[in-house]
C-alpha cells in the first residue's frame, strides 16, 4: 500500500491506473477510521480494481466554533486498517497542499443542503462539496463510496455529481452500529460512559419510528428527554429532503442532538407502504 501526500502525485498515479484499464474506487474519509469506514473500503474493493482512501480532516467544512483542532486523528491506526482491508493507496495531504492561500473557487449545492445539518452548520456542505470535487479530480474514481450515516451529505454529493456531470458512480453504504445501537462515528470517542448510555436514545427511538411506534413528534420528545440539546428531528422524503408527498417512496427519519458537548447524528430509512 502506498501513501501519497501530494495532490498532483495522486492525480498522476490515478491517471496511470486508469490508462492501464483498471477501475478506481475512492473512499473519502477524515480518518480515525472505524468499522463504518472499513465497510466503505470493503464495498469499494468489490466494485473497483484499485482503491484509494483519502484521510484528510478538511478544514473548510468546519465552522469557526467547531471541533477542527480537537477532531481525533491517528494516522498509524488508519494506515494499519487500510492495509488490512486491502486499500491500494492512502491519500493524506497537508491542508496547505490541498488549498492555496489565495483560493477563490467553491462548489456549492443550494437546495438539499439548506436544512438539517446545513441550516445549523453554515458553510459546512460548501466545504464538503469543494473537497469532494477536488478529490474526484485528483483520484479520478469510477466509483466513490459514502456512508448512509451522513444521509444529507450523500444526497448533496449525488446532486453535485448530477448537476456538474462528474463521471463518477456514487454508492451509499449502510450505516453501521455498535452492539449498543449507537451509530459508529469518530466523534463517539468524546462521549463519557454516561453520555454514551443516553446517546442510545437516537437509535432506539429511530427504530421505534421505523416500526410505526413513534411519529415525528414522538421521536422528538423521546430524544429531547435524553439529550442535552436537540438540533433537529426531521421526517423527510429521502430523495428531496423535504416534507413527504404523495410520490414519496421512502422516508428519511433523522436527528442531530448533543450529549454533553458532543453532537451526534443518526437516521433510518422507512419504506412507504403503498
Ligand atoms: O464524511 C466525511 O468524513 C467528510 O465529510 C468527507 C466526505 C470525507 C469530506 O471531507
Amino acid at each position: 500500500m502506498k501513501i501519497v501526500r501530494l495532490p498532483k502525485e495522486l492525480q498522476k498515479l490515478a491517471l496511470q491506473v486508469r490508462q492501464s484499464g483498471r477501475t478506481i474506487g475512492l473512499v473519502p474519509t477524515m480518518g480515525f477510521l472505524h468499522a463504518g469506514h472499513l465497510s466503505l473500503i470493503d464495498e469499494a474493493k468489490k466494485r473497483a480494481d484499485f482503491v484509494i482512501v483519502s484521510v484528510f480532516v478538511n478544514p473548510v467544512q468546519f465552522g469557526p466554533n467547531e471541533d477542527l483542532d480537537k477532531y481525533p486523528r491517528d494516522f498509524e491506526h488508519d494506515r494499519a486498517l487500510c492495509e488490512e482491508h486491502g486499500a491500494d493507496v492512502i491519500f493524506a495531504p497537508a491542508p496547505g497542499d490541498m488549498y492555496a492561500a489565495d483560493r477563490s473557487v467553491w462548489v456549492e449545492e443550494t437546495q438539499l443542503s439548506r436544512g438539517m445539518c446545513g441550516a445549523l452548520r453554515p458553510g459546512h456542505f460548501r466545504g464538503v462539496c469543494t473537497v469532494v470535487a477536488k478529490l474526484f479530480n485528483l483520484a479520478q474514481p469510477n466509483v466513490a463510496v459514502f456512508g448512509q450515516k451522513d444521509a444529507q451529505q450523500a444526497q448533496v454529493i449525488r446532486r453535485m455529481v448530477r448537476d456538474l456531470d462528474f463521471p463518477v458512480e456514487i454508492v451509499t453504504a449502510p450505516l453501521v452500529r455498535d452492539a449498543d445501537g449507537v451509530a459508529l462515528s469518530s466523534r463517539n470517542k468524546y462521549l463519557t460512559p454516561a453520555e454514551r448510555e443516553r446517546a442510545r436514545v437516537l437509535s432506539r427511538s429511530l427504530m421505534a419510528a421505523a416500526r410505526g411506534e413513534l411519529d415525528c413528534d414522538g421521536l422528538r420528545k423521546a430524544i429531547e428527554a435524553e439529550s442535552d440539546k436537540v438540533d433537529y428531528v426531521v421526517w423527510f422524503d429521502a430523495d428531496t429532503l423535504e416534507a413527504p408527498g404523495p410520490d414519496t417512496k421512502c422516508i428519511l427519519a433523522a436527528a442531530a442532538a448533543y450529549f454533553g458537548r458532543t453532537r451526534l447524528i443518526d437516521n433510518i430509512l422507512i419504506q412507504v407502504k403503498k
Side-chain angles (χ1 to χ4, degrees):
M1 188 182 67
K2 207 172 150 75
I3 293 167
V4 176
R5 300 272 178 194
L6 295 177
K8 286 290 171 216
E9 196 188 317
L10 181 74
Q11 197 174 51
K12 192 169 154 207
L13 176 70
L15 287 169
Q16 281 164 359
V17 172
R18 290 292 293 259
Q19 272 156 16
S20 73
R22 286 174 292 168
T23 56
I24 296 181
L26 172 68
V27 181
T29 83
M30 297 206 298
F32 208 69
L33 303 182
H34 51 63
H37 296 112
L38 300 178
S39 74
L40 308 185
I41 300 176
D42 295 343
E43 192 60 44
K45 288 282 293 178
K46 281 191 228 149
R47 293 171 180 265
D49 303 320
F50 190 92
V51 170
I52 300 173
V53 179
S54 62
V55 171
F56 178 59
V57 182
N58 175 36
V60 303
Q61 71 186 70
F62 287 78
N65 299 317
E66 293 183 359
D67 57 345
L68 172 62
D69 292 335
K70 77 173 177 89
Y71 195 84
R73 294 160 168 90
D74 186 346
F75 187 72
E76 268 319 299
H77 157 94
D78 294 344
R79 194 196 54 70
L81 288 177
C82 286
E83 182 115 56
E84 230 172 76
H85 282 256
D88 296 280
V89 167
I90 296 185
F91 175 52
D97 290 328
M98 278 297 268
Y99 294 111
D102 62 347
R103 69 184 179 277
S104 53
V105 175
W106 296 95
V107 180
E108 188 164 18
E109 194 286 330
T110 57
Q111 178 68 31
L112 301 170
S113 52
R114 283 187 309 184
M116 298 169 70
C117 292
L120 290 138
R121 303 183 66 189
H124 171 68
F125 284 115
R126 183 174 84 152
V128 170
C129 285
T130 301
V131 80
V132 172
K134 284 169 73 69
L135 289 169
F136 286 174
N137 284 332
L138 296 172
Q140 301 281 313
N142 300 76
V143 56
V145 187
F146 294 85
Q148 173 61 23
K149 158 113 187 322
D150 296 296
Q152 186 180 18
Q153 169 172 280
Q155 286 301 92
V156 166
I157 286 168
R158 281 181 189 280
R159 180 63 62 88
M160 176 186 89
V161 163
R162 187 198 76 178
D163 286 359
L164 296 184
D165 301 299
F166 280 99
V168 184
E169 181 195 353
I170 302 300
V171 171
T172 312
L175 190 152
V176 181
R177 299 184 180 284
D178 251 329
D180 64 358
V182 175
L184 295 188
S185 161
S186 304
R187 290 188 170 98
N188 291 349
K189 176 188 155 60
Y190 302 146
L191 296 168
T192 64
E195 287 164 358
R196 168 123 197 168
E197 187 53 38
R198 287 194 285 125
R200 296 176 65 183
V201 69
L202 289 176
S203 58
R204 202 169 53 235
S205 53
L206 286 165
M207 284 176 198
R211 290 193 299 270
E213 294 164 11
L214 289 177
D215 60 9
C216 188
D217 207 37
L219 189 57
R220 169 174 278 279
K221 286 192 179 117
I223 296 171
E224 269 170 1
E226 295 284 336
S227 69
D228 294 300
K229 183 176 144 219
V230 174
D231 260 357
Y232 62 78
V233 174
V234 297
W235 190 272
F236 278 165
D237 179 304
D239 291 322
T240 61
L241 304 186
E242 286 176 1
D247 297 333
T248 298
K249 295 187 199 71
C250 184
I251 300 285
L252 172 74
Y258 282 85
F259 299 88
R261 300 174 63 142
T262 306
R263 180 180 185 274
L264 298 182
I265 59 171
D266 200 343
N267 70 79
I268 204 158
L269 292 172
I270 306 168
Q271 298 303 323
V272 176
K273 293 192 192 93
K274 300 263 174 178

